[in-house]
Coordinates of all heavy atoms in Angstrom, one line a residue:
M209 N 25.5 23.7 -20.6 CA 24.3 23.2 -20.1 C 24.6 21.9 -19.3 O 25.2 21.0 -19.8 CB 23.4 22.9 -21.2 CG 22.0 22.3 -20.9 SD 21.0 22.0 -22.3 CE 19.6 23.0 -21.9
S210 N 24.1 21.8 -18.1 CA 24.4 20.6 -17.3 C 23.2 19.6 -17.4 O 22.1 20.0 -17.8 CB 24.5 21.0 -15.8 OG 23.3 21.5 -15.3
T211 N 23.6 18.4 -17.2 CA 22.6 17.3 -17.3 C 21.8 17.2 -16.0 O 22.4 17.3 -14.9 CB 23.4 15.9 -17.5 OG1 24.2 16.1 -18.6 CG2 22.4 14.8 -17.7
P212 N 20.5 17.2 -16.1 CA 19.6 17.1 -14.9 C 19.9 15.8 -14.2 O 20.1 14.8 -14.8 CB 18.2 17.2 -15.4 CG 18.3 16.8 -16.9 CD 19.7 17.1 -17.3
T213 N 19.8 15.9 -12.9 CA 20.0 14.6 -12.1 C 18.6 14.1 -11.8 O 17.6 14.8 -11.7 CB 20.7 14.9 -10.8 OG1 20.0 15.9 -10.0 CG2 22.1 15.4 -11.0
T214 N 18.5 12.8 -11.7 CA 17.3 12.1 -11.4 C 17.1 11.9 -9.9 O 18.1 11.6 -9.2 CB 17.2 10.8 -12.2 OG1 15.9 10.2 -11.8 CG2 18.3 9.9 -11.9
S215 N 15.9 12.0 -9.4 CA 15.7 11.7 -8.0 C 14.9 10.4 -7.9 O 14.4 10.1 -6.9 CB 14.8 12.8 -7.4 OG 13.6 12.9 -8.1
V216 N 15.0 9.6 -9.0 CA 14.3 8.3 -8.9 C 15.2 7.3 -8.3 O 16.4 7.1 -8.6 CB 13.9 7.8 -10.4 CG1 13.3 6.4 -10.3 CG2 13.0 8.8 -11.0
T217 N 14.7 6.6 -7.3 CA 15.4 5.5 -6.6 C 14.5 4.3 -6.5 O 13.3 4.4 -6.7 CB 15.8 5.9 -5.2 OG1 14.6 6.2 -4.4 CG2 16.7 7.2 -5.2
I218 N 15.1 3.2 -6.1 CA 14.3 2.0 -5.9 C 13.3 2.3 -4.8 O 12.1 1.9 -4.9 CB 15.2 0.8 -5.5 CG1 16.1 0.3 -6.7 CG2 14.4 -0.4 -5.0 CD1 15.3 -0.1 -7.9
E219 N 13.7 3.0 -3.8 CA 12.8 3.3 -2.7 C 11.6 4.2 -3.2 O 10.5 3.9 -2.8 CB 13.5 4.0 -1.6 CG 14.6 3.2 -0.8 CD 15.9 3.0 -1.6 OE1 16.2 3.8 -2.6 OE2 16.6 2.0 -1.3
S220 N 11.9 5.2 -4.0 CA 10.8 6.0 -4.5 C 9.8 5.2 -5.4 O 8.6 5.5 -5.4 CB 11.3 7.3 -5.2 OG 12.0 7.0 -6.4
L221 N 10.4 4.3 -6.2 CA 9.5 3.5 -7.1 C 8.7 2.6 -6.2 O 7.5 2.4 -6.5 CB 10.4 2.7 -8.0 CG 11.1 3.5 -9.2 CD1 12.1 2.6 -9.9 CD2 10.0 4.0 -10.1
T222 N 9.3 2.0 -5.2 CA 8.5 1.1 -4.3 C 7.4 1.8 -3.6 O 6.3 1.3 -3.5 CB 9.5 0.4 -3.3 OG1 10.5 -0.3 -4.0 CG2 8.8 -0.5 -2.3
E223 N 7.7 3.0 -3.1 CA 6.7 3.8 -2.4 C 5.5 4.1 -3.3 O 4.4 4.1 -3.0 CB 7.3 5.1 -1.8 CG 8.2 4.8 -0.6 CD 8.9 6.1 -0.2 OE1 8.6 7.2 -0.6 OE2 9.9 5.9 0.6
A224 N 5.9 4.5 -4.6 CA 4.8 4.9 -5.6 C 4.0 3.7 -5.9 O 2.8 3.8 -6.0 CB 5.5 5.5 -6.8
C225 N 4.6 2.5 -6.1 CA 3.8 1.3 -6.4 C 2.9 0.9 -5.3 O 1.8 0.5 -5.5 CB 4.8 0.1 -6.7 SG 5.7 0.3 -8.2
T226 N 3.4 1.0 -4.1 CA 2.5 0.7 -2.9 C 1.4 1.7 -2.8 O 0.2 1.3 -2.6 CB 3.4 0.7 -1.6 OG1 4.5 -0.2 -1.8 CG2 2.5 0.3 -0.4
A227 N 1.6 3.0 -2.9 CA 0.6 4.0 -2.8 C -0.4 4.0 -3.9 O -1.6 4.1 -3.7 CB 1.2 5.4 -2.6
R228 N 0.1 3.9 -5.1 CA -0.7 4.1 -6.3 C -1.3 2.8 -6.9 O -2.3 2.9 -7.6 CB 0.1 4.8 -7.4 CG 0.5 6.2 -7.0 CD 1.4 6.9 -8.0 NE 2.1 8.0 -7.4 CZ 3.1 8.6 -7.9 NH1 3.7 8.1 -9.0 NH2 3.7 9.6 -7.4
L229 N -0.7 1.7 -6.6 CA -1.1 0.4 -7.2 C -1.5 -0.6 -6.2 O -1.9 -1.7 -6.5 CB 0.0 -0.2 -8.1 CG 0.3 0.6 -9.3 CD1 1.6 0.1 -10.0 CD2 -0.8 0.6 -10.4
G230 N -1.5 -0.2 -4.9 CA -1.8 -1.1 -3.8 C -0.9 -2.4 -3.8 O -1.4 -3.4 -3.5
A231 N 0.3 -2.2 -4.2 CA 1.3 -3.3 -4.3 C 1.5 -3.9 -2.9 O 1.6 -3.2 -1.9 CB 2.6 -2.8 -4.9
T232 N 1.4 -5.3 -2.9 CA 1.7 -6.0 -1.7 C 3.1 -6.5 -1.6 O 3.6 -6.9 -0.6 CB 0.7 -7.2 -1.6 OG1 0.9 -8.0 -2.7 CG2 -0.7 -6.7 -1.4
H233 N 3.8 -6.5 -2.8 CA 5.2 -6.9 -2.8 C 5.8 -6.2 -4.0 O 5.3 -6.1 -5.1 CB 5.3 -8.4 -3.0 CG 6.7 -8.9 -3.0 ND1 7.4 -9.1 -1.9 CD2 7.5 -9.3 -4.0 CE1 8.6 -9.6 -2.2 NE2 8.7 -9.7 -3.5
V234 N 7.0 -5.6 -3.8 CA 7.7 -4.9 -4.9 C 9.2 -5.3 -4.7 O 9.8 -5.2 -3.6 CB 7.6 -3.4 -4.8 CG1 8.4 -2.7 -5.9 CG2 6.1 -2.9 -4.8
E235 N 9.8 -5.7 -5.8 CA 11.3 -5.9 -5.9 C 11.8 -5.0 -7.0 O 11.3 -5.0 -8.1 CB 11.6 -7.4 -6.2 CG 11.2 -8.3 -5.1 CD 11.5 -9.8 -5.4 OE1 12.3 -10.0 -6.4 OE2 11.0 -10.6 -4.7
G236 N 12.8 -4.3 -6.7 CA 13.4 -3.4 -7.7 C 14.9 -3.6 -7.7 O 15.6 -4.0 -6.8
K237 N 15.5 -3.2 -8.9 CA 16.9 -3.3 -9.1 C 17.4 -2.2 -10.0 O 16.8 -1.9 -11.0 CB 17.3 -4.7 -9.7 CG 18.8 -4.9 -9.8 CD 19.0 -6.4 -10.3 CE 20.5 -6.6 -10.3 NZ 20.7 -8.0 -10.9
D238 N 18.4 -1.5 -9.5 CA 19.0 -0.4 -10.3 C 20.1 -1.2 -11.2 O 21.1 -1.6 -10.6 CB 19.7 0.6 -9.5 CG 20.4 1.7 -10.2 OD1 20.6 1.6 -11.4 OD2 20.7 2.7 -9.6
I239 N 19.9 -1.3 -12.5 CA 20.8 -2.0 -13.3 C 21.6 -1.0 -14.2 O 22.1 -1.4 -15.3 CB 20.1 -3.1 -14.2 CG1 19.0 -2.4 -15.0 CG2 19.5 -4.2 -13.3 CD1 18.4 -3.4 -16.0
S240 N 21.7 0.2 -13.7 CA 22.4 1.2 -14.5 C 23.9 1.3 -14.4 O 24.5 2.0 -15.1 CB 21.8 2.6 -14.1 OG 22.2 2.9 -12.8
G241 N 24.4 0.5 -13.4 CA 25.8 0.6 -13.2 C 26.2 1.8 -12.4 O 27.4 2.3 -12.4
G242 N 25.3 2.4 -11.7 CA 25.6 3.5 -10.8 C 25.0 4.8 -11.1 O 25.0 5.7 -10.3
C243 N 24.5 5.0 -12.3 CA 24.0 6.4 -12.7 C 22.6 6.6 -12.4 O 22.1 7.7 -12.4 CB 24.3 6.6 -14.2 SG 23.2 5.7 -15.3
G244 N 21.9 5.5 -11.9 CA 20.5 5.7 -11.5 C 19.5 6.0 -12.7 O 18.5 6.7 -12.5
Q245 N 19.8 5.5 -13.9 CA 19.0 5.7 -15.0 C 18.3 4.5 -15.7 O 17.7 4.6 -16.7 CB 19.8 6.4 -16.1 CG 20.2 7.9 -15.7 CD 19.1 8.8 -15.8 OE1 18.3 8.8 -16.8 NE2 18.9 9.6 -14.7
N246 N 18.5 3.3 -15.1 CA 18.0 2.1 -15.6 C 17.5 1.2 -14.5 O 18.3 0.8 -13.7 CB 19.1 1.4 -16.5 CG 18.6 0.3 -17.3 OD1 17.4 -0.2 -17.2 ND2 19.4 -0.2 -18.2
F247 N 16.2 0.9 -14.5 CA 15.6 0.2 -13.4 C 14.8 -1.0 -14.0 O 14.1 -0.9 -15.0 CB 14.6 1.1 -12.6 CG 15.3 2.1 -11.9 CD1 15.5 3.4 -12.4 CD2 15.9 1.9 -10.6 CE1 16.1 4.4 -11.8 CE2 16.5 2.9 -9.9 CZ 16.7 4.2 -10.5
E248 N 14.8 -2.1 -13.2 CA 13.9 -3.2 -13.4 C 13.1 -3.3 -12.1 O 13.6 -3.1 -11.0 CB 14.7 -4.6 -13.4 CG 15.5 -4.8 -14.7 CD 16.2 -6.1 -14.6 OE1 16.4 -6.7 -13.5 OE2 16.6 -6.6 -15.7
I249 N 11.8 -3.6 -12.3 CA 10.9 -3.7 -11.1 C 9.9 -4.8 -11.3 O 9.4 -5.0 -12.4 CB 10.2 -2.3 -10.9 CG1 9.6 -2.2 -9.5 CG2 9.2 -2.0 -11.9 CD1 9.4 -0.8 -9.0
M250 N 9.6 -5.5 -10.2 CA 8.6 -6.5 -10.2 C 7.5 -6.1 -9.2 O 7.9 -5.8 -8.0 CB 9.3 -7.8 -9.8 CG 8.4 -9.1 -10.0 SD 7.2 -9.3 -8.7 CE 8.3 -9.3 -7.3
I251 N 6.3 -6.1 -9.6 CA 5.2 -5.6 -8.7 C 4.1 -6.7 -8.6 O 3.7 -7.3 -9.6 CB 4.6 -4.4 -9.4 CG1 5.6 -3.3 -9.7 CG2 3.5 -3.8 -8.5 CD1 5.2 -2.3 -10.7
V252 N 3.7 -6.9 -7.4 CA 2.5 -7.8 -7.1 C 1.4 -6.9 -6.5 O 1.6 -6.2 -5.5 CB 2.9 -8.9 -6.1 CG1 1.7 -9.8 -5.8 CG2 4.1 -9.7 -6.6
S253 N 0.3 -7.0 -7.1 CA -0.9 -6.2 -6.7 C -2.2 -6.8 -7.0 O -2.4 -7.3 -8.1 CB -0.9 -4.8 -7.4 OG -2.0 -4.1 -7.0
P254 N -3.1 -6.8 -6.0 CA -4.5 -7.3 -6.3 C -5.2 -6.5 -7.4 O -6.2 -7.0 -8.0 CB -5.2 -7.3 -5.0 CG -4.4 -6.4 -4.1 CD -3.0 -6.4 -4.6
M255 N -4.7 -5.3 -7.6 CA -5.4 -4.4 -8.6 C -5.2 -5.0 -10.0 O -5.9 -4.6 -11.0 CB -4.8 -3.0 -8.6 CG -5.3 -2.3 -7.3 SD -4.6 -0.6 -7.2 CE -5.4 0.2 -8.5
F256 N -4.3 -5.9 -10.2 CA -4.0 -6.5 -11.5 C -4.9 -7.7 -11.8 O -4.9 -8.2 -12.9 CB -2.5 -7.0 -11.6 CG -1.5 -6.0 -11.4 CD1 -0.3 -6.2 -10.8 CD2 -1.7 -4.7 -12.0 CE1 0.7 -5.3 -10.7 CE2 -0.7 -3.7 -11.9 CZ 0.5 -4.0 -11.2
E257 N -5.8 -8.1 -10.8 CA -6.7 -9.2 -11.1 C -7.6 -9.0 -12.3 O -8.1 -7.9 -12.5 CB -7.6 -9.4 -9.8 CG -6.9 -9.9 -8.6 CD -6.5 -11.3 -8.7 OE1 -6.9 -12.1 -9.5 OE2 -5.6 -11.7 -7.8
G258 N -7.6 -10.0 -13.2 CA -8.5 -9.9 -14.3 C -7.9 -9.1 -15.5 O -8.6 -8.9 -16.5
K259 N -6.7 -8.6 -15.3 CA -6.1 -7.7 -16.4 C -5.1 -8.6 -17.2 O -4.5 -9.5 -16.7 CB -5.3 -6.6 -15.7 CG -6.1 -5.7 -14.8 CD -7.0 -4.8 -15.5 CE -7.6 -3.7 -14.6 NZ -8.9 -4.0 -14.2
T260 N -5.0 -8.2 -18.5 CA -4.0 -8.8 -19.4 C -2.6 -8.2 -19.0 O -2.6 -7.2 -18.3 CB -4.3 -8.5 -20.8 OG1 -4.2 -7.1 -21.1 CG2 -5.7 -9.0 -21.2
T261 N -1.6 -8.8 -19.5 CA -0.3 -8.3 -19.3 C -0.2 -6.8 -19.8 O 0.4 -5.9 -19.1 CB 0.8 -9.1 -20.0 OG1 0.7 -10.5 -19.4 CG2 2.2 -8.6 -19.8
L262 N -0.7 -6.6 -21.0 CA -0.7 -5.2 -21.5 C -1.4 -4.2 -20.6 O -0.9 -3.1 -20.4 CB -1.3 -5.2 -22.9 CG -1.3 -3.8 -23.6 CD1 0.1 -3.2 -23.8 CD2 -1.9 -4.0 -25.0
Q263 N -2.6 -4.6 -20.1 CA -3.3 -3.7 -19.2 C -2.6 -3.5 -17.9 O -2.6 -2.3 -17.4 CB -4.7 -4.4 -18.9 CG -5.7 -4.4 -20.1 CD -6.9 -5.2 -19.8 OE1 -6.9 -6.2 -19.2 NE2 -8.0 -4.7 -20.4
K264 N -1.9 -4.5 -17.4 CA -1.1 -4.3 -16.2 C 0.0 -3.3 -16.4 O 0.3 -2.4 -15.6 CB -0.6 -5.6 -15.6 CG -1.7 -6.5 -15.1 CD -1.2 -7.8 -14.5 CE -0.7 -8.8 -15.5 NZ -0.4 -10.1 -14.9
H265 N 0.7 -3.5 -17.5 CA 1.8 -2.6 -17.9 C 1.4 -1.2 -18.1 O 2.0 -0.3 -17.6 CB 2.6 -3.2 -19.1 CG 3.4 -4.3 -18.8 ND1 4.5 -4.7 -19.5 CD2 3.4 -5.2 -17.8 CE1 5.1 -5.7 -19.0 NE2 4.4 -6.1 -18.0
R266 N 0.2 -1.0 -18.7 CA -0.3 0.3 -18.9 C -0.7 1.0 -17.5 O -0.4 2.2 -17.3 CB -1.5 0.3 -19.8 CG -1.2 0.1 -21.2 CD -2.4 0.1 -22.1 NE -2.0 0.0 -23.5 CZ -2.8 -0.4 -24.5 NH1 -4.0 -0.7 -24.3 NH2 -2.3 -0.4 -25.7
M267 N -1.2 0.2 -16.6 CA -1.5 0.7 -15.3 C -0.2 1.2 -14.6 O -0.2 2.2 -14.0 CB -2.2 -0.4 -14.4 CG -3.6 -0.7 -14.8 SD -4.2 -2.2 -13.9 CE -4.3 -1.5 -12.2
V268 N 0.8 0.3 -14.7 CA 2.1 0.7 -14.0 C 2.7 2.0 -14.7 O 3.1 2.9 -14.0 CB 3.1 -0.5 -14.1 CG1 4.5 0.0 -13.6 CG2 2.6 -1.6 -13.3
N269 N 2.7 2.0 -16.0 CA 3.2 3.1 -16.7 C 2.5 4.4 -16.4 O 3.1 5.5 -16.2 CB 3.1 2.9 -18.3 CG 4.1 1.9 -18.7 OD1 5.0 1.5 -18.1 ND2 3.9 1.4 -20.0
E270 N 1.2 4.3 -16.2 CA 0.4 5.5 -15.8 C 0.7 5.9 -14.4 O 0.9 7.1 -14.1 CB -1.1 5.2 -16.0 CG -2.0 6.4 -15.6 CD -1.8 7.7 -16.4 OE1 -1.4 7.6 -17.6 OE2 -2.1 8.8 -15.9
A271 N 0.8 5.0 -13.5 CA 1.0 5.3 -12.1 C 2.4 5.8 -11.8 O 2.6 6.6 -10.9 CB 0.8 4.0 -11.2
L272 N 3.4 5.4 -12.7 CA 4.8 5.8 -12.5 C 5.3 6.8 -13.6 O 6.5 6.9 -13.7 CB 5.7 4.6 -12.4 CG 5.4 3.6 -11.3 CD1 6.3 2.4 -11.4 CD2 5.4 4.2 -10.0
K273 N 4.4 7.4 -14.3 CA 4.8 8.2 -15.5 C 5.8 9.3 -15.1 O 6.7 9.5 -15.9 CB 3.6 8.7 -16.2 CG 2.8 9.7 -15.5 CD 1.6 10.1 -16.4 CE 0.6 11.0 -15.6 NZ -0.6 11.2 -16.3
E274 N 5.7 9.9 -14.0 CA 6.6 11.0 -13.6 C 8.0 10.4 -13.4 O 9.0 11.0 -13.9 CB 6.2 11.8 -12.3 CG 4.9 12.6 -12.5 CD 3.6 11.7 -12.2 OE1 3.7 10.6 -11.7 OE2 2.5 12.2 -12.6
Q275 N 8.1 9.3 -12.7 CA 9.4 8.7 -12.5 C 10.0 8.1 -13.8 O 11.2 8.3 -14.0 CB 9.3 7.5 -11.4 CG 9.0 8.0 -10.0 CD 7.5 8.1 -9.7 OE1 6.7 8.1 -10.6 NE2 7.3 8.2 -8.4
I276 N 9.2 7.5 -14.6 CA 9.6 6.9 -15.8 C 10.2 7.9 -16.7 O 11.2 7.7 -17.4 CB 8.5 6.0 -16.5 CG1 8.2 4.8 -15.6 CG2 9.0 5.6 -17.9 CD1 7.0 4.0 -16.1
A277 N 9.6 9.1 -16.7 CA 10.0 10.2 -17.6 C 11.4 10.7 -17.3 O 12.1 11.2 -18.1 CB 9.1 11.3 -17.6
L278 N 11.9 10.4 -16.0 CA 13.2 10.9 -15.6 C 14.3 9.9 -15.8 O 15.5 10.3 -15.5 CB 13.1 11.2 -14.1 CG 12.2 12.4 -13.7 CD1 12.1 12.5 -12.2 CD2 12.6 13.7 -14.3
V279 N 14.0 8.7 -16.2 CA 15.1 7.7 -16.4 C 15.2 7.3 -17.8 O 14.4 7.6 -18.7 CB 14.8 6.4 -15.5 CG1 14.7 6.8 -14.0 CG2 13.5 5.7 -15.9
H280 N 16.4 6.6 -18.1 CA 16.7 6.2 -19.5 C 15.9 5.0 -19.9 O 15.4 4.8 -21.0 CB 18.2 6.0 -19.6 CG 18.6 5.5 -20.9 ND1 18.5 6.2 -22.1 CD2 19.0 4.2 -21.3 CE1 18.9 5.5 -23.1 NE2 19.2 4.2 -22.7
A281 N 15.9 4.0 -18.9 CA 15.2 2.7 -19.3 C 14.5 2.2 -18.0 O 14.9 2.3 -16.9 CB 16.2 1.7 -19.7
F282 N 13.3 1.5 -18.3 CA 12.5 1.0 -17.2 C 11.9 -0.3 -17.7 O 11.2 -0.3 -18.8 CB 11.4 2.0 -16.8 CG 10.4 1.6 -15.8 CD1 10.8 1.7 -14.5 CD2 9.2 1.0 -16.2 CE1 9.9 1.2 -13.5 CE2 8.3 0.6 -15.2 CZ 8.6 0.7 -13.9
S283 N 12.1 -1.4 -17.0 CA 11.4 -2.6 -17.4 C 10.6 -3.1 -16.2 O 11.0 -2.9 -15.0 CB 12.4 -3.7 -17.9 OG 13.3 -4.0 -16.8
Q284 N 9.5 -3.8 -16.5 CA 8.6 -4.2 -15.4 C 8.1 -5.6 -15.6 O 8.0 -6.1 -16.7 CB 7.5 -3.2 -15.3 CG 6.6 -3.2 -16.6 CD 5.4 -2.3 -16.4 OE1 4.5 -2.7 -15.7 NE2 5.4 -1.2 -17.1
K285 N 7.8 -6.2 -14.5 CA 7.0 -7.5 -14.5 C 5.9 -7.2 -13.5 O 6.2 -6.7 -12.4 CB 7.9 -8.7 -14.1 CG 8.9 -9.0 -15.1 CD 9.7 -10.2 -14.7 CE 10.7 -10.5 -15.8 NZ 11.6 -11.7 -15.4
S286 N 4.7 -7.7 -13.8 CA 3.6 -7.4 -12.9 C 2.8 -8.7 -12.7 O 2.5 -9.4 -13.7 CB 2.7 -6.3 -13.4 OG 2.4 -6.5 -14.8
F287 N 2.4 -9.0 -11.5 CA 1.7 -10.2 -11.1 C 0.6 -9.9 -10.2 O 0.7 -9.0 -9.4 CB 2.7 -11.2 -10.4 CG 3.9 -11.6 -11.2 CD1 5.1 -11.0 -11.0 CD2 3.8 -12.6 -12.1 CE1 6.2 -11.3 -11.7 CE2 4.9 -13.0 -12.8 CZ 6.1 -12.4 -12.6
T288 N -0.5 -10.7 -10.3 CA -1.5 -10.8 -9.2 C -0.9 -11.6 -8.1 O 0.1 -12.3 -8.3 CB -2.8 -11.5 -9.7 OG1 -2.5 -12.8 -10.0 CG2 -3.3 -10.8 -11.0
P289 N -1.5 -11.5 -6.9 CA -1.0 -12.3 -5.8 C -1.0 -13.8 -6.1 O 0.0 -14.5 -5.8 CB -1.9 -12.0 -4.6 CG -2.3 -10.5 -4.9 CD -2.5 -10.5 -6.4
A290 N -2.0 -14.3 -6.8 CA -2.1 -15.7 -7.2 C -1.0 -16.1 -8.2 O -0.4 -17.1 -8.1 CB -3.5 -16.0 -7.7
Q291 N -0.7 -15.2 -9.1 CA 0.3 -15.4 -10.1 C 1.7 -15.5 -9.4 O 2.5 -16.3 -9.8 CB 0.3 -14.4 -11.2 CG -0.9 -14.5 -12.2 CD -1.0 -13.2 -13.1 OE1 -0.6 -12.1 -12.7 NE2 -1.4 -13.4 -14.3
W292 N 1.9 -14.5 -8.5 CA 3.2 -14.5 -7.8 C 3.4 -15.7 -6.9 O 4.4 -16.3 -6.9 CB 3.2 -13.2 -6.9 CG 4.5 -13.1 -6.1 CD1 4.5 -13.1 -4.7 CD2 5.8 -13.0 -6.6 NE1 5.8 -13.0 -4.3 CE2 6.6 -12.9 -5.4 CE3 6.4 -13.0 -7.8 CZ2 8.0 -12.8 -5.5 CZ3 7.7 -12.9 -7.9 CH2 8.5 -12.8 -6.8
E293 N 2.3 -16.2 -6.3 CA 2.4 -17.4 -5.5 C 2.7 -18.6 -6.4 O 3.6 -19.4 -6.0 CB 1.0 -17.7 -4.8 CG 1.0 -18.9 -3.9 CD 1.9 -18.7 -2.7 OE1 2.1 -17.6 -2.2 OE2 2.5 -19.8 -2.2
A294 N 2.1 -18.7 -7.5 CA 2.4 -19.8 -8.5 C 3.8 -19.7 -9.0 O 4.5 -20.7 -9.1 CB 1.4 -19.8 -9.7
Q295 N 4.3 -18.5 -9.2 CA 5.7 -18.3 -9.6 C 6.7 -18.8 -8.6 O 7.7 -19.3 -8.9 CB 5.9 -16.8 -9.9 CG 7.2 -16.4 -10.4 CD 7.3 -16.5 -11.9 OE1 6.4 -16.7 -12.6 NE2 8.5 -16.3 -12.4
Q296 N 6.4 -18.5 -7.3 CA 7.2 -18.9 -6.2 C 7.3 -20.5 -6.1 O 8.3 -21.0 -5.5 CB 6.8 -18.3 -4.9 CG 6.8 -16.8 -4.9 CD 8.2 -16.3 -5.2 OE1 9.2 -16.6 -4.6 NE2 8.3 -15.6 -6.3
Q297 N 6.2 -21.2 -6.5 CA 6.2 -22.6 -6.4 C 7.0 -23.3 -7.4 O 7.3 -24.5 -7.3 CB 4.7 -23.1 -6.5 CG 3.8 -22.5 -5.5 CD 4.2 -22.9 -4.0 OE1 4.7 -24.0 -3.8 NE2 4.1 -21.9 -3.1
Q298 N 7.4 -22.6 -8.5 CA 8.2 -23.2 -9.6 C 9.6 -23.4 -9.2 O 10.3 -22.8 -8.5 CB 8.1 -22.4 -10.8 CG 6.7 -22.3 -11.4 CD 6.6 -21.5 -12.6 OE1 7.5 -20.9 -13.1 NE2 5.4 -21.4 -13.2

């Protein structure tokens, strides 16, 4: 039995975040060491306005559930545009 290959890439995650979450900025990193199974992603979206961190993470998990199911590990940070701007000032 062969191991299934994943078609998840930083590019596909970025496209999904932009299309499904209205992301205005996405930064992603493959931290798997080359196997494409472990991703970190940072998402800025106005859709996160008024949401708690847990609500934002649930939104991302729902929007990316197909991709997340194909990888071993996925970590995220999510910001509103104002939060991202404040983060950049630090």
Side-chain angles (χ1 to χ4, degrees):
M209 176 181 241
S210 64
T211 305
T213 57
T214 178
S215 60
V216 178
T217 63
I218 293 300
E219 293 77 20
S220 69
L221 289 170
T222 299
E223 289 172 13
C225 289
T226 302
R228 299 176 192 159
L229 295 167
T232 56
H233 183 79
V234 179
E235 292 178 16
K237 186 174 182 182
D238 179 346
I239 58 172
S240 66
C243 70
Q245 290 288 312
N246 191 348
F247 295 94
E248 288 180 342
I249 196 160
M250 190 281 305
I251 306 159
V252 179
S253 173
M255 291 177 70
F256 297 147
E257 292 288 345
K259 305 284 192 259
T260 66
T261 299
L262 180 59
Q263 289 170 324
K264 291 186 282 187
H265 283 205
R266 286 179 175 164
M267 288 173 66
V268 172
N269 289 345
E270 180 62 26
L272 302 178
K273 66 183 171 186
E274 293 88 10
Q275 288 92 341
I276 293 171
L278 296 173
V279 299
H280 175 71
F282 177 83
S283 64
Q284 61 175 293
K285 292 184 181 178
S286 48
F287 301 98
T288 65
Q291 289 170 328
W292 177 242
E293 183 66 32
Q295 183 87 7
Q296 297 305 299
Q297 300 301 320
Q298 295 179 357

